[in-house]
Amino acid sequence: MTEDRPPEPEGTEPPRFVDPLTGWPIPEEPRPEPLDTPDEPAAEPRNRLRRRIALSLAGVLVLAMFVGVVVVIGDSPEFSTSASDVETPVPMPGTSRPRPETLPVVAGWKPVVSDDHPFAFDVPPDWTVENPGVIVGFEAPGGDLLSLHGVARFKSNFCPYLDVSSRAQAGFTAIRADEVNGIREAAEETVVRWAEAAYSSADFAKQPRVTVTKAQPVQVFGGSVEAMEMTATVRPVEPNACSPPSVALTAVVLPLNADADAMSYHVHLTLADQEIGEGLQPDVAAEIISSIRRAG
């Protein structure tokens, strides 16, 4: 269930909505119909607009505090906070706590942490690591917001036709324990929800082809915790100039006892372009997953 958006603080610029295919700004909702395609690049259908909100957290979830810019994984756009927001987050009273330093467990790699999940993972040095408060999200068919926290991106800005792009992205999300029957179903429900939210048509009338692998155990926390991994291969229904033939969504669901106070499963999610020469290599993806651990 989505929450009512609180009123914007006086003097705060409302979110900008950006066309997922081109990165061009569009008018705020409501709008009667999609805009025409711009001259550059070559004509692409611009009927995929779906409201995708980006949030920057300063201790609590506030939906209307920051200006968003589009971030793209192949053909999957979503909003993230702007660079200025990342560098100068607004502290909320009583919520600022010092964060213990998190060091990488993979030599030469960079740690990735989130303000909303007590876990970390490492990525190679050529990845872009966002500020811990940055969230990217997609609106699901039912209207709920799917959000990714503690975000890192691979091959940023690879597409010349888009303002921001990347070949892979990873971070943490969550799924309520009372919505699923156990950890295996949590893994399947996560990849299917994200596939439908990110790669359906703008009105959700067309759903992408999704092939789901069998769930299998995977070791995290230095081999001391068994998580559940599942991958969905998705073929987008409305590709753009920089789209890959397919995208792999891999969910690694941590057991509930990984966070005793949580009412939800913590999920490490990777979205990676497939069937391309410069994509995320399987051994690197596996090393990233094996580095999942408690932050600090």
Side-chain angles (χ1 to χ4, degrees), residues 13 41 56-57 101 119 133 135 160 165 186 195 230-231 245 248 253 262 296:
E13 186 179 357
S56 179
L57 287 194
E101 183 180 7
F119 306 107
I135 303 174
S165 58
M230 178 175 284
T231 297
V253 183

Side-chain angles (χ1 to χ4, degrees), residues 4-48:
D4 291 337
R5 176 179 298 184
E8 297 181 5
E10 186 174 344
T12 300
E13 186 179 357
R16 288 189 297 115
F17 297 100
V18 182
D19 189 292
L21 292 176
T22 65
W24 287 54
I26 61 169
E28 295 182 8
E29 294 180 343
R31 60 183 180 84
E33 56 184 283
L35 300 177
D36 294 332
T37 306
D39 292 335
E40 245 347 282
E44 293 280 356
R46 292 192 65 181
N47 60 352
R48 287 198 62 208

Side-chain angles (χ1 to χ4, degrees), residues 110-121:
K110 298 187 288 189
V112 185
V113 296
S114 163
D115 280 348
D116 298 273
H117 296 258
F119 306 107
F121 63 99

Side-chain angles (χ1 to χ4, degrees), residues 137-149:
F138 292 93
E139 185 177 342
D144 292 336
L145 181 67
L146 303 182
S147 57
L148 195 67
H149 309 241

